[in-house]
Amino acid sequence: MSPLQSRAEARISASALTHNLTVLAARAGAKLLLPVKANAYGHGEHLISQIAAVHPGVWGLAVSVPLEAAEVAAVNPGTPIVLLTPPTPDELPLLADLGVRLPVATLEEAEALPANARAHLKVDTGMNRLGARPDLAVQVGRRLAERGLLEGAYTHFATADEEDLSFADEQLRRFQGVLAQLPPVLAHCANGGAVLSYGALPGMSLARPGLASYGFVPPHLAGVVPLRPVMTLRARVTALRTAEMGETVSYGNLWRAERPTRVATVGVGYADGYPRNATLKAQVTVAGERRPVLGRICMDQCMVDVTGLDVQIGDWVEFWGEGGVTVSDVAAWGGTNEYEVLTGVGNRVERVLVD
Ligand SMILES: *Cc1c(COP(=O)(O)O)cnc(C)c1O
C-alpha cells in the first residue's frame, strides 16, 4: 500500500444511498432508472452504480454521454443502461453491442439504429432541449415499434422542482397523449422533483430521481420522504499557526485577525470543488464545533479558525455531511445549487465507501 495519502476524501454512505433508493422507489410506485451521470453527481460512478445495480428498487442506470455509458456498462454487466443524450452515428454500433439503450428523436435516427439496438423514444414536451415534439414522436415511436426496437419512451420536466406545477402538469398531459398512441413501453418522466411532488404517476414504469437519490430536495419538498445525504466531504489539517492581532490570512488580505487566532490550514480548495465564491461566508465542522473559514478559499487549501480547540496536524475537518453543514448550506454560500457543488467534487478527492 502506498504511503501517499489523499488530503481530502468524500465518504460515500452505502446505507444512506440504499435508504434513499428504497423510499424514492416506494414514493414513485415504480422502479428507478438511477441517474449516475457526471460521475454519479460527483459521488463516484463505480461505487454508486455497483450499489444501485443490486438494489431491488432499481431497474437500471441513466448516463448522459456515451463514454459514461461504456464505463458504467463495463462494471455492471447485465444492468440496463440508458443513454440520455444523442450519440453520433459512428457511436451507434458499439453502444448497441454494449446493450446501452439509445435515445431516439427523429425518423432518420430510427432508421439508422442497428438491428440489435434498444431504443427509448425521447419526447420534447416543453423543455426544448432534446427530443421529438409530440406529433413527430408518435411517428418515430411507431417506426421503432415496427422495427422491433422500441423499449421505452421518456420526457423531462423543466419545472417539477418548483411549487407551481402547472407547466409540469401540461408536460405530463402531452407525454401521456403520446403514450396513448403507442404500443406499451417502459415509460418514464419523473425527476426527483416530480417523484416527490406527484408520487406515483399513472402509466409510468420507471422514475429518474437524481439529486434526491443523493439526499437533497428543494426546501418546499423537504419532509415528503425522509432522505439522507450520501456524501460527507472532509479533509486533513496540514499545518497550524497563530495569526497575531492585526495580521491577515490568505490571498488579498480579505480577513484580518481582531485577536490572536489559531489558524488551521486544511487540504481542500476550489480545485477539489469547494466553491471559491463561499469565501468569507463558509463554515466547517471541526472537533465537533462549527467554525469559519478565514479569508480567500485557495485552489488546494483553505484556512479555518480553530482557536481554543484541540486540533493537531492530520485531524479531519468536515466541509459537509450528515448532521453538520449541509451541501445546501455550501451551495447557498457559494451562490450556486447542490447539483453544481456535488458535480464539482474533483478527482483528487478520494471516494471512500462507508456503511
Ligand atoms: C439529470 C436528469 C435527471 C435527474 O434530475 P434530478 O433533478 O437530479 O432528479 C432526470 N432525467 C434527465 C433526462 C436528466 O438529464
Side-chain angles (χ1 to χ4, degrees):
M1 209 174 114
S2 167
L4 309 181
Q5 300 171 7
S6 53
R7 295 292 175 266
E9 62 182 36
R11 295 167 74 76
I12 304 304
S13 167
S15 62
L17 178 66
T18 301
H19 164 84
N20 295 346
L21 298 176
T22 302
V23 300
L24 288 167
R27 171 81 187 160
K31 295 242 179 185
L32 304 183
L33 172 51
L34 178 69
V36 295
K37 59 189 177 181
N39 199 21
Y41 289 49
H43 292 65
E45 67 186 7
H46 287 200
L47 292 184
I48 298 295
S49 64
Q50 288 178 313
I51 295 166
V54 297
H55 189 287
V58 173
W59 175 79
L61 305 166
V63 295
S64 193
V65 298
L67 264 174
E68 294 174 330
E71 286 167 9
V72 174
V75 289
N76 296 284
T79 301
I81 293 162
V82 178
L83 177 65
L84 296 172
T85 68
T88 65
D90 339 337
E91 291 170 324
L92 292 174
L94 174 59
L95 291 169
D97 289 348
L98 290 172
V100 174
R101 278 61 170 179
L102 301 170
V104 177
T106 66
L107 287 167
E108 295 71 35
E109 288 166 5
E111 296 304 338
L113 274 197
N116 64 341
R118 274 172 284 202
H120 283 225
L121 172 70
K122 177 66 193 275
V123 187
D124 181 5
T125 56
M127 176 85 176
N128 266 320
R129 183 172 70 173
L130 294 172
R133 295 192 177 216
D135 288 349
L136 176 61
V138 172
Q139 294 176 47
V140 175
R142 287 183 177 161
R143 179 64 191 130
L144 287 166
E146 269 168 24
R147 291 196 61 203
L149 309 181
L150 183 64
E151 179 182 67
Y154 70 112
T155 193
H156 189 48
F157 291 116
T159 61
D161 56 354
E162 294 178 12
E163 282 180 71
D164 178 357
L165 290 175
S166 48
F167 191 71
D169 289 342
E170 177 60 21
Q171 286 194 270
L172 181 60
R173 203 185 54 72
R174 290 177 189 157
F175 185 48
Q176 285 168 331
V178 171
L179 294 175
Q181 300 174 68
L182 295 176
V185 291
L186 293 175
H188 45 106
C189 58
N191 54 11
V195 169
L196 294 169
S197 297
Y198 289 117
L201 282 170
M204 303 303 151
S205 345
L206 303 172
R208 306 187 306 268
L211 190 67
S213 301
Y214 302 104
F216 297 95
V217 294
H220 74 281
L221 295 172
V224 173
V225 296
L227 295 171
R228 294 176 52 195
V230 173
M231 184 195 296
T232 297
L233 181 73
R234 65 182 200 171
R236 289 184 189 277
V237 173
T238 56
L240 286 161
R241 74 206 59 248
T242 298
E244 301 301 341
M245 196 168 96
E247 290 184 2
T248 55
V249 169
S250 195
Y251 291 119
N253 295 347
L254 300 182
W255 184 86
R256 187 178 297 276
E258 287 171 4
R259 60 188 70 82
T261 303
R262 192 75 176 144
V263 179
T265 302
V266 189
V268 89
Y270 60 80
D272 302 299
Y274 195 54
R276 183 173 178 275
N277 281 338
T279 291
L280 299 184
K281 299 187 188 122
Q283 299 184 347
V284 300
T285 309
V286 50
E289 285 197 23
R290 278 247 198 161
R291 287 303 179 92
V293 175
L294 302 177
R296 186 59 87 202
I297 295 167
C298 306
M299 184 187 294
D300 316 303
Q301 308 172 78
C302 62
M303 278 63 85
V304 172
D305 183 347
V306 295
T307 308
L309 299 177
D310 177 19
V311 170
Q312 312 298 328
I313 288 175
D315 286 356
W316 291 106
V317 174
E318 186 180 294
F319 289 81
W320 62 70
E322 205 164 12
V325 170
T326 67
V327 175
S328 308
D329 296 330
V330 174
W333 294 327
T336 181
N337 63 16
E338 294 91 344
Y339 296 85
E340 197 176 28
V341 171
L342 289 170
T343 58
V345 173
N347 284 335
R348 286 190 306 211
V349 178
E350 188 180 357
R351 273 71 174 177
V352 179
L353 188 63
V354 299
D355 177 49

Short mmCIF file of all heavy atoms in Angstrom, two decimals, residues 35 37 41 84 129 154 156 191-193 208-211 339, ligand 1:
data_model
loop_
_atom_site.label_atom_id
_atom_site.label_comp_id
_atom_site.label_asym_id
_atom_site.label_seq_id
_atom_site.Cartn_x
_atom_site.Cartn_y
_atom_site.Cartn_z
N PRO A 35 -30.08 8.11 -12.19
CA PRO A 35 -29.07 8.89 -12.89
C PRO A 35 -27.70 8.76 -12.21
O PRO A 35 -27.56 9.07 -11.02
CB PRO A 35 -29.59 10.33 -12.80
CG PRO A 35 -31.07 10.18 -12.60
CD PRO A 35 -31.19 8.95 -11.72
N LYS A 37 -25.02 9.94 -14.09
CA LYS A 37 -24.23 10.84 -14.95
C LYS A 37 -23.31 11.70 -14.10
O LYS A 37 -23.54 11.86 -12.89
CB LYS A 37 -25.19 11.71 -15.77
CG LYS A 37 -26.11 12.56 -14.91
CD LYS A 37 -27.19 13.24 -15.73
CE LYS A 37 -28.13 14.02 -14.81
NZ LYS A 37 -29.20 14.68 -15.57
N TYR A 41 -23.20 12.29 -9.95
CA TYR A 41 -23.32 13.58 -9.24
C TYR A 41 -22.12 13.77 -8.31
O TYR A 41 -22.27 14.27 -7.18
CB TYR A 41 -24.63 13.66 -8.46
CG TYR A 41 -25.90 13.81 -9.29
CD1 TYR A 41 -26.16 12.97 -10.36
CD2 TYR A 41 -26.86 14.76 -8.98
CE1 TYR A 41 -27.32 13.11 -11.10
CE2 TYR A 41 -28.04 14.90 -9.72
CZ TYR A 41 -28.25 14.06 -10.78
OH TYR A 41 -29.41 14.18 -11.52
N LEU A 84 -28.92 9.24 -22.19
CA LEU A 84 -29.94 10.30 -22.21
C LEU A 84 -29.74 11.35 -23.28
O LEU A 84 -30.65 12.11 -23.58
CB LEU A 84 -30.01 10.98 -20.84
CG LEU A 84 -30.45 10.11 -19.66
CD1 LEU A 84 -30.27 10.85 -18.34
CD2 LEU A 84 -31.89 9.65 -19.82
N ARG A 129 -35.07 21.07 -25.24
CA ARG A 129 -33.65 20.76 -25.18
C ARG A 129 -33.35 19.58 -26.11
O ARG A 129 -32.48 19.68 -26.98
CB ARG A 129 -33.25 20.45 -23.73
CG ARG A 129 -31.78 20.19 -23.53
CD ARG A 129 -31.40 20.07 -22.07
NE ARG A 129 -31.89 18.86 -21.43
CZ ARG A 129 -31.55 18.50 -20.17
NH1 ARG A 129 -30.75 19.27 -19.45
NH2 ARG A 129 -32.04 17.39 -19.65
N TYR A 154 -39.66 8.49 -23.05
CA TYR A 154 -39.45 9.37 -21.90
C TYR A 154 -39.51 10.83 -22.27
O TYR A 154 -39.39 11.20 -23.44
CB TYR A 154 -38.13 9.04 -21.19
CG TYR A 154 -36.84 9.38 -21.91
CD1 TYR A 154 -36.01 10.39 -21.43
CD2 TYR A 154 -36.46 8.69 -23.04
CE1 TYR A 154 -34.81 10.69 -22.05
CE2 TYR A 154 -35.26 8.99 -23.68
CZ TYR A 154 -34.44 9.99 -23.19
OH TYR A 154 -33.26 10.29 -23.81
N HIS A 156 -38.77 14.94 -20.08
CA HIS A 156 -38.08 15.54 -18.93
C HIS A 156 -38.78 16.84 -18.56
O HIS A 156 -39.10 17.64 -19.44
CB HIS A 156 -36.61 15.78 -19.30
CG HIS A 156 -35.75 16.19 -18.15
ND1 HIS A 156 -35.73 15.54 -16.93
CD2 HIS A 156 -34.85 17.21 -18.02
CE1 HIS A 156 -34.85 16.13 -16.12
NE2 HIS A 156 -34.31 17.14 -16.75
N ASN A 191 -38.28 13.24 -12.68
CA ASN A 191 -37.04 13.53 -11.97
C ASN A 191 -37.36 13.56 -10.47
O ASN A 191 -38.50 13.25 -10.07
CB ASN A 191 -36.43 14.84 -12.47
CG ASN A 191 -37.41 16.00 -12.41
OD1 ASN A 191 -38.48 15.89 -11.80
ND2 ASN A 191 -37.05 17.11 -13.01
N GLY A 192 -36.39 13.94 -9.65
CA GLY A 192 -36.63 13.91 -8.21
C GLY A 192 -37.78 14.81 -7.79
O GLY A 192 -38.62 14.43 -6.97
N GLY A 193 -37.82 16.01 -8.37
CA GLY A 193 -38.89 16.95 -8.01
C GLY A 193 -40.26 16.35 -8.29
O GLY A 193 -41.19 16.46 -7.48
N ARG A 208 -36.79 8.68 -12.55
CA ARG A 208 -35.37 9.03 -12.64
C ARG A 208 -34.96 10.09 -11.61
O ARG A 208 -34.45 11.14 -12.00
CB ARG A 208 -35.04 9.58 -14.04
CG ARG A 208 -35.44 8.69 -15.21
CD ARG A 208 -34.91 9.27 -16.53
NE ARG A 208 -35.31 10.66 -16.73
CZ ARG A 208 -36.40 11.06 -17.38
NH1 ARG A 208 -37.22 10.19 -17.93
NH2 ARG A 208 -36.66 12.35 -17.49
N PRO A 209 -35.14 9.86 -10.33
CA PRO A 209 -34.70 10.87 -9.37
C PRO A 209 -33.18 10.86 -9.24
O PRO A 209 -32.58 9.83 -8.96
CB PRO A 209 -35.36 10.42 -8.06
CG PRO A 209 -35.50 8.94 -8.20
CD PRO A 209 -35.71 8.67 -9.68
N GLY A 210 -32.56 12.02 -9.44
CA GLY A 210 -31.11 12.12 -9.35
C GLY A 210 -30.71 12.71 -8.01
O GLY A 210 -30.37 11.99 -7.06
N LEU A 211 -30.78 14.04 -7.91
CA LEU A 211 -30.32 14.72 -6.70
C LEU A 211 -30.98 14.15 -5.44
O LEU A 211 -30.33 14.01 -4.40
CB LEU A 211 -30.61 16.22 -6.82
CG LEU A 211 -29.98 17.09 -5.73
CD1 LEU A 211 -28.46 17.08 -5.85
CD2 LEU A 211 -30.51 18.52 -5.82
N TYR A 339 -26.54 20.71 -7.10
CA TYR A 339 -26.07 19.97 -8.28
C TYR A 339 -24.63 20.39 -8.61
O TYR A 339 -23.76 19.56 -8.89
CB TYR A 339 -26.93 20.28 -9.51
CG TYR A 339 -28.37 19.85 -9.43
CD1 TYR A 339 -29.33 20.66 -8.85
CD2 TYR A 339 -28.79 18.66 -10.01
CE1 TYR A 339 -30.66 20.29 -8.81
CE2 TYR A 339 -30.11 18.28 -9.99
CZ TYR A 339 -31.05 19.09 -9.39
OH TYR A 339 -32.37 18.71 -9.36
C1 LIG B 1 -30.29 14.77 -14.73
C2 LIG B 1 -31.57 14.21 -15.22
C3 LIG B 1 -32.49 13.65 -14.32
C4 LIG B 1 -32.36 13.75 -12.82
O1 LIG B 1 -32.80 15.03 -12.40
P1 LIG B 1 -32.83 15.40 -10.83
O2 LIG B 1 -33.30 16.81 -10.84
O3 LIG B 1 -31.43 15.27 -10.34
O4 LIG B 1 -33.76 14.48 -10.16
C5 LIG B 1 -33.58 13.01 -14.86
N1 LIG B 1 -33.77 12.95 -16.20
C6 LIG B 1 -32.92 13.52 -17.09
C7 LIG B 1 -33.21 13.44 -18.55
C8 LIG B 1 -31.80 14.18 -16.63
O5 LIG B 1 -30.97 14.76 -17.51
#
